[in-house]
Short mmCIF file of all heavy atoms in Angstrom, two decimals:
data_model
loop_
_atom_site.label_atom_id
_atom_site.label_comp_id
_atom_site.label_asym_id
_atom_site.label_seq_id
_atom_site.Cartn_x
_atom_site.Cartn_y
_atom_site.Cartn_z
N ALA A 252 8.50 -11.39 -5.99
CA ALA A 252 9.47 -12.04 -6.88
C ALA A 252 10.65 -11.11 -7.17
O ALA A 252 10.47 -10.05 -7.77
CB ALA A 252 8.78 -12.45 -8.18
N ASP A 253 11.83 -11.54 -6.77
CA ASP A 253 13.03 -10.71 -7.00
C ASP A 253 13.24 -10.42 -8.47
O ASP A 253 13.61 -9.29 -8.84
CB ASP A 253 14.27 -11.43 -6.43
CG ASP A 253 14.24 -11.52 -4.92
OD1 ASP A 253 13.66 -10.62 -4.28
OD2 ASP A 253 14.77 -12.51 -4.37
N ASP A 254 13.02 -11.43 -9.33
CA ASP A 254 13.29 -11.20 -10.76
C ASP A 254 12.28 -10.21 -11.36
O ASP A 254 12.60 -9.48 -12.30
CB ASP A 254 13.33 -12.52 -11.54
CG ASP A 254 12.05 -13.32 -11.40
OD1 ASP A 254 11.19 -12.96 -10.57
OD2 ASP A 254 11.90 -14.32 -12.13
N SER A 255 11.10 -10.15 -10.80
CA SER A 255 10.10 -9.21 -11.28
C SER A 255 10.52 -7.77 -10.96
O SER A 255 10.41 -6.86 -11.79
CB SER A 255 8.75 -9.56 -10.61
OG SER A 255 7.68 -8.88 -11.19
N TRP A 256 11.05 -7.56 -9.75
CA TRP A 256 11.58 -6.23 -9.39
C TRP A 256 12.77 -5.88 -10.27
O TRP A 256 12.91 -4.73 -10.71
CB TRP A 256 11.99 -6.20 -7.91
CG TRP A 256 10.86 -6.03 -6.96
CD1 TRP A 256 10.24 -7.01 -6.23
CD2 TRP A 256 10.18 -4.80 -6.62
NE1 TRP A 256 9.24 -6.46 -5.46
CE2 TRP A 256 9.18 -5.12 -5.66
CE3 TRP A 256 10.34 -3.48 -7.01
CZ2 TRP A 256 8.34 -4.15 -5.11
CZ3 TRP A 256 9.49 -2.51 -6.46
CH2 TRP A 256 8.50 -2.85 -5.53
N ALA A 257 13.64 -6.87 -10.54
CA ALA A 257 14.83 -6.60 -11.36
C ALA A 257 14.44 -6.19 -12.77
O ALA A 257 15.01 -5.25 -13.35
CB ALA A 257 15.74 -7.84 -11.38
N ALA A 258 13.43 -6.88 -13.33
CA ALA A 258 12.99 -6.53 -14.69
C ALA A 258 12.37 -5.14 -14.73
O ALA A 258 12.64 -4.35 -15.65
CB ALA A 258 11.97 -7.58 -15.16
N LEU A 259 11.58 -4.82 -13.72
CA LEU A 259 10.97 -3.48 -13.68
C LEU A 259 12.04 -2.41 -13.52
O LEU A 259 12.00 -1.36 -14.17
CB LEU A 259 9.97 -3.40 -12.52
CG LEU A 259 9.28 -2.03 -12.36
CD1 LEU A 259 8.37 -1.73 -13.55
CD2 LEU A 259 8.47 -1.98 -11.06
N SER A 260 13.03 -2.70 -12.67
CA SER A 260 14.12 -1.74 -12.45
C SER A 260 14.85 -1.45 -13.75
O SER A 260 15.10 -0.29 -14.11
CB SER A 260 15.09 -2.32 -11.41
OG SER A 260 16.19 -1.47 -11.27
N ALA A 261 15.18 -2.51 -14.50
CA ALA A 261 15.89 -2.33 -15.77
C ALA A 261 15.05 -1.50 -16.74
O ALA A 261 15.57 -0.60 -17.42
CB ALA A 261 16.23 -3.69 -16.36
N GLU A 262 13.78 -1.81 -16.81
CA GLU A 262 12.88 -1.10 -17.73
C GLU A 262 12.77 0.38 -17.37
O GLU A 262 12.90 1.26 -18.24
CB GLU A 262 11.50 -1.76 -17.70
CG GLU A 262 10.56 -1.22 -18.75
CD GLU A 262 9.19 -1.90 -18.70
OE1 GLU A 262 9.00 -2.84 -17.92
OE2 GLU A 262 8.30 -1.43 -19.45
N LEU A 263 12.57 0.67 -16.09
CA LEU A 263 12.38 2.07 -15.68
C LEU A 263 13.69 2.86 -15.80
O LEU A 263 13.70 4.00 -16.27
CB LEU A 263 11.86 2.14 -14.24
CG LEU A 263 10.44 1.59 -14.02
CD1 LEU A 263 10.06 1.72 -12.54
CD2 LEU A 263 9.43 2.34 -14.88
N ARG A 264 14.79 2.24 -15.42
CA ARG A 264 16.08 2.94 -15.51
C ARG A 264 16.42 3.20 -16.99
O ARG A 264 16.95 4.27 -17.32
CB ARG A 264 17.19 2.13 -14.82
CG ARG A 264 17.05 2.13 -13.31
CD ARG A 264 18.07 1.20 -12.65
NE ARG A 264 17.68 0.88 -11.29
CZ ARG A 264 17.91 1.65 -10.22
NH1 ARG A 264 18.56 2.79 -10.36
NH2 ARG A 264 17.50 1.27 -9.03
N GLY A 265 16.10 2.24 -17.85
CA GLY A 265 16.34 2.43 -19.28
C GLY A 265 15.58 3.61 -19.84
O GLY A 265 16.01 4.26 -20.80
N ALA A 266 14.44 3.90 -19.24
CA ALA A 266 13.60 5.01 -19.69
C ALA A 266 13.83 6.28 -18.88
O ALA A 266 13.12 7.28 -19.04
CB ALA A 266 12.12 4.61 -19.61
N GLY A 267 14.82 6.25 -17.99
CA GLY A 267 15.10 7.43 -17.15
C GLY A 267 13.97 7.73 -16.18
O GLY A 267 13.72 8.89 -15.83
N ARG A 268 13.29 6.65 -15.69
CA ARG A 268 12.11 6.84 -14.85
C ARG A 268 12.21 6.05 -13.54
O ARG A 268 11.19 5.55 -13.03
CB ARG A 268 10.84 6.44 -15.59
CG ARG A 268 10.47 7.35 -16.74
CD ARG A 268 9.28 6.82 -17.52
NE ARG A 268 8.02 6.93 -16.80
CZ ARG A 268 7.16 5.93 -16.64
NH1 ARG A 268 7.42 4.73 -17.12
NH2 ARG A 268 6.02 6.12 -16.00
N ALA A 269 13.40 5.98 -12.96
CA ALA A 269 13.49 5.33 -11.64
C ALA A 269 12.73 6.18 -10.63
O ALA A 269 12.80 7.41 -10.66
CB ALA A 269 14.95 5.16 -11.23
N PRO A 270 11.97 5.55 -9.74
CA PRO A 270 11.02 6.32 -8.93
C PRO A 270 11.64 7.18 -7.82
O PRO A 270 12.63 6.81 -7.20
CB PRO A 270 10.13 5.23 -8.30
CG PRO A 270 10.97 4.01 -8.31
CD PRO A 270 11.84 4.10 -9.53
N ALA A 271 10.99 8.32 -7.59
CA ALA A 271 11.30 9.19 -6.45
C ALA A 271 10.39 8.88 -5.27
O ALA A 271 10.71 9.22 -4.13
CB ALA A 271 11.12 10.65 -6.86
N VAL A 272 9.25 8.27 -5.58
CA VAL A 272 8.25 7.94 -4.55
C VAL A 272 7.77 6.51 -4.82
O VAL A 272 7.52 6.14 -5.98
CB VAL A 272 7.04 8.90 -4.62
CG1 VAL A 272 5.93 8.44 -3.67
CG2 VAL A 272 7.46 10.33 -4.31
N ILE A 273 7.66 5.73 -3.75
CA ILE A 273 7.09 4.38 -3.87
C ILE A 273 5.97 4.23 -2.85
O ILE A 273 6.13 4.58 -1.67
CB ILE A 273 8.15 3.28 -3.63
CG1 ILE A 273 9.25 3.36 -4.69
CG2 ILE A 273 7.49 1.89 -3.67
CD1 ILE A 273 10.36 2.33 -4.51
N VAL A 274 4.85 3.72 -3.32
CA VAL A 274 3.74 3.38 -2.41
C VAL A 274 3.60 1.87 -2.43
O VAL A 274 3.25 1.27 -3.46
CB VAL A 274 2.42 4.05 -2.83
CG1 VAL A 274 1.32 3.67 -1.85
CG2 VAL A 274 2.59 5.56 -2.90
N ASN A 275 3.89 1.24 -1.30
CA ASN A 275 3.77 -0.21 -1.17
C ASN A 275 2.37 -0.55 -0.67
O ASN A 275 2.06 -0.37 0.51
CB ASN A 275 4.83 -0.73 -0.19
CG ASN A 275 6.21 -0.66 -0.78
OD1 ASN A 275 6.48 -1.26 -1.83
ND2 ASN A 275 7.11 0.09 -0.15
N ASN A 276 1.56 -1.03 -1.60
CA ASN A 276 0.13 -1.24 -1.32
C ASN A 276 -0.31 -2.69 -1.55
O ASN A 276 -1.32 -3.11 -1.00
CB ASN A 276 -0.67 -0.28 -2.22
CG ASN A 276 -2.14 -0.59 -2.27
OD1 ASN A 276 -2.87 -0.24 -1.35
ND2 ASN A 276 -2.58 -1.25 -3.34
N ALA A 277 0.44 -3.46 -2.33
CA ALA A 277 0.03 -4.83 -2.66
C ALA A 277 -0.02 -5.69 -1.39
O ALA A 277 0.77 -5.51 -0.47
CB ALA A 277 1.01 -5.44 -3.66
N PHE A 278 -0.94 -6.62 -1.38
CA PHE A 278 -1.04 -7.51 -0.22
C PHE A 278 -1.65 -8.84 -0.66
O PHE A 278 -2.19 -8.98 -1.76
CB PHE A 278 -1.94 -6.90 0.87
CG PHE A 278 -3.41 -7.14 0.65
CD1 PHE A 278 -4.13 -7.96 1.51
CD2 PHE A 278 -4.06 -6.58 -0.43
CE1 PHE A 278 -5.49 -8.20 1.30
CE2 PHE A 278 -5.42 -6.81 -0.66
CZ PHE A 278 -6.13 -7.62 0.21
N MET A 279 -1.54 -9.80 0.26
CA MET A 279 -2.21 -11.08 0.06
C MET A 279 -2.76 -11.52 1.41
O MET A 279 -2.16 -11.23 2.45
CB MET A 279 -1.19 -12.11 -0.45
CG MET A 279 -1.78 -13.46 -0.71
SD MET A 279 -0.50 -14.68 -1.05
CE MET A 279 -1.49 -16.16 -0.74
N ASN A 280 -3.89 -12.21 1.39
CA ASN A 280 -4.45 -12.72 2.64
C ASN A 280 -5.20 -14.03 2.38
O ASN A 280 -5.76 -14.23 1.30
CB ASN A 280 -5.39 -11.69 3.27
CG ASN A 280 -5.76 -12.05 4.70
OD1 ASN A 280 -5.09 -12.85 5.35
ND2 ASN A 280 -6.82 -11.45 5.21
N VAL A 281 -5.17 -14.89 3.35
CA VAL A 281 -6.02 -16.09 3.38
C VAL A 281 -6.62 -16.11 4.78
O VAL A 281 -5.88 -16.05 5.76
CB VAL A 281 -5.20 -17.38 3.14
CG1 VAL A 281 -6.07 -18.61 3.31
CG2 VAL A 281 -4.54 -17.36 1.76
N VAL A 282 -7.94 -16.14 4.86
CA VAL A 282 -8.59 -16.08 6.17
C VAL A 282 -8.72 -17.49 6.74
O VAL A 282 -9.41 -18.35 6.18
CB VAL A 282 -9.98 -15.40 6.06
CG1 VAL A 282 -10.67 -15.38 7.43
CG2 VAL A 282 -9.83 -13.97 5.53
N ALA A 283 -8.03 -17.71 7.85
CA ALA A 283 -8.07 -19.00 8.56
C ALA A 283 -7.34 -18.84 9.88
O ALA A 283 -6.39 -18.06 9.97
CB ALA A 283 -7.37 -20.10 7.74
N PRO A 284 -7.78 -19.57 10.92
CA PRO A 284 -6.99 -19.55 12.16
C PRO A 284 -5.62 -20.17 11.91
O PRO A 284 -5.45 -20.95 10.97
CB PRO A 284 -7.82 -20.39 13.13
CG PRO A 284 -8.76 -21.18 12.29
CD PRO A 284 -8.96 -20.43 11.01
#
Side-chain angles (χ1 to χ4, degrees):
D253 292 329
D254 57 351
S255 191
W256 281 100
L259 179 66
S260 175
E262 187 180 355
L263 293 180
R264 289 174 198 278
R268 291 174 72 230
V272 173
I273 298 179
V274 181
N275 288 301
N276 167 79
F278 84 113
M279 181 189 162
N280 193 18
V281 175
V282 178

